[in-house]
Structures are given as C-alpha cells and as structure tokens.
Amino acid sequence: EAGVAQSPRYKIIEKRQSVAFWCNPISGHATLYWYQQILGQGPKLLIQFQNNGVVDDSQLPKDRFSAERLKGVDSTLKIQPAKLEDSAVYLCASSLVPEGELFFGEGSRLTVL
Amino acid sequence: SQKIEQNSEALNIQEGKTATLTCNYTNYSPAYLQWYRQDPGRGPVFLLLIRENEKEKRKERLKVTFDTTLKQSLFHITASQPADSATYLCALDMSGSARQLTFGSGTQLTVLP
C-alpha cells in the first residue's frame, strides 16, 4: 500500500516570496492533516480536513497560510508571503477515521532566508 | 490552557536496559493517547494507542500505561537496542469532539551499545 506522498521534499525561498506544498494521502483516508514542525518541537496542527471540508483551522495563520483539499483527495498548503519564522518541516498526515492512527508523509522542509 | 510535557529532552541508556519515557498532561482528560516514533528527517510513525479505560497496552517490546488520575502515560521499551534510538512523541486528543491530536515536544532516546 502506498504511503502519504508529499512534494517538494525541500524548498528554499526568500522572505515575502510564496511557496506551495502538495500532499496525496493514502487512498480511502477521509481525514487529512497539515502539521508544522519547527526544529526541536513536536508537530503543531495547522488544519484538519474531513473529506473536502475543513474540521478545524484555528491554528492556521490565515493572513498568510491557505489550504485546500481538492475533491476530498489531494491537498495543497500555500504560504504567501513567507516569513523567517515559517522555516519548518510541513508534515501531511492522513487517517482512515478521525480517532485512528495517523500516517505521515516524509515532510517538506522549508527554509526562509 | 492544555499542556503536554514529555520528560527530559534527551535520554541515554545502555543497550539491554529498559527505557521509560514520560508524558504528562494538564487539565483536559483525553479519550485516548498515542505514541509515535520519529527518526531524523522522517515523518512520525505510529506505535501504540491506549484508551482512557485501558490501564496498559503491549506490543512486542513496547508497553504503554495510562493513568488518568495522575494525568500521565509511561512508555517502556524493554531489552532496548541501538536501533531503538529515535525521538518518541506522545499525542493526545485534546479537542473533545473534533478528534484532533496534539503532540508533545518529544523525548530523544539514545541507546548506547
């Protein structure tokens, strides 16, 4: 069974530029999450989707971050404009049911200069 | 506010010994708690889930306990091996209805040969 796919693995941009990350969850997983993990910290939930609807985006900085889940499958996370403090690994995860185990992708490492 | 604390940022033990990692939480009583393993440059990998009505869960050399009175979970690795070296994250459902996982900052375990 294929795992959660993310791209790109690495991205370096300058502050005020924009960036987009893509995630393809495990087939059949209705719940999709985007987490931000800053070096030395645990993952922090940014947004949770159930199918193509947003369950919670209370920790998403909506002035610069946006996310969508197309047709309840793939998802993109966009940052525009990026700030230095956005440097982190952006992890996508999916689960079969909301209270089930999470399957994570390898993450997209963002460096903002 | 809700808080999750994992013991000491780093834990070093000798091969063959039992590693014990601690996860404490405040205020909220989660319906379940999960433990994940994270290797450098990789996404977290699910290990075990324990529910509030379960005192203990085992999987091979892993054992998790859940004390809702103490608001604490203990994660044990028996007969530890150098390959067990990784960061271990605990995660709790802190949301109640939305089934969102909040992660602790993790404990970095090093098993010395």
Side-chain angles (χ1 to χ4, degrees):
Chain A
E1 179 184 80
V4 175
Q6 288 190 248
S7 67
R9 283 298 311 276
Y10 306 93
K11 188 74 175 180
I12 301 174
I13 61 173
E14 298 197 345
K15 60 183 179 184
R16 290 188 289 273
Q17 287 188 323
S18 63
V19 64
F21 302 112
W22 172 82
C23 172
N24 180 239
I26 292 174
S27 177
H29 281 197
T31 311
L32 185 147
Y33 312 77
W34 283 101
Y35 282 87
Q36 179 194 59
Q37 187 172 27
I38 293 171
L39 189 64
Q41 299 181 18
K44 171 189 162 187
L45 180 66
L46 293 176
I47 189 167
Q48 177 182 346
F49 292 94
Q50 182 67 21
N51 295 309
N52 60 349
V54 176
V55 173
D56 181 69
D57 62 357
S58 58
Q59 298 191 88
L60 187 74
K62 298 181 188 64
D63 58 333
R64 299 182 300 105
F65 286 65
S66 65
E68 61 178 0
R69 189 175 184 193
L70 305 171
K71 298 181 181 178
V73 182
D74 291 6
S75 178
T76 56
L77 175 70
K78 296 179 182 178
I79 308 174
Q80 180 180 14
K83 290 186 175 181
L84 296 177
E85 58 260 37
D86 297 332
S87 294
V89 176
Y90 291 85
L91 294 162
C92 178
S94 68
S95 64
L96 192 58
V97 293
E99 61 270 26
E101 64 179 276
L102 269 58
F103 293 83
F104 283 87
E106 298 286 47
S108 294
R109 181 179 296 275
L110 174 65
T111 302
V112 182
L113 303 175
Chain B
S1 63
Q2 320 298 357
K3 210 181 241 187
I4 303 171
E5 292 180 351
Q6 294 192 241
N7 67 323
S8 68
E9 291 185 2
L11 180 65
N12 296 334
I13 63 166
Q14 283 299 131
E15 182 175 7
K17 301 292 186 183
T18 295
T20 298
L21 284 63
T22 306
C23 177
N24 295 297
Y25 57 94
T26 60
N27 299 335
Y28 188 73
S29 295
Y32 59 89
L33 185 152
Q34 299 185 15
W35 283 88
Y36 288 77
R37 168 185 173 140
Q38 187 172 26
D39 292 286
R42 311 293 296 272
V45 174
F46 172 81
L47 295 174
L48 282 166
L49 179 152
I50 187 165
R51 300 190 184 281
E52 60 180 339
N53 61 347
E54 297 175 314
K55 295 291 185 189
E56 183 180 296
K57 204 84 169 277
R58 291 176 184 263
K59 179 182 175 183
E60 299 172 353
R61 295 183 296 111
L62 308 180
K63 184 178 87 170
V64 173
T65 63
F66 194 8
D67 189 326
T68 55
T69 302
L70 292 178
K71 296 187 183 298
Q72 180 182 80
S73 174
L74 298 179
F75 178 81
H76 307 272
I77 305 175
T78 58
S80 59
Q81 305 166 0
D84 295 326
S85 298
T87 295
Y88 291 86
L89 301 157
C90 70
L92 287 72
D93 165 26
M94 303 286 273
S95 64
S97 60
R99 300 288 189 245
Q100 300 158 15
L101 279 185
T102 299
F103 284 81
S105 57
T107 298
Q108 185 175 335
L109 173 68
T110 302
V111 181
L112 304 167

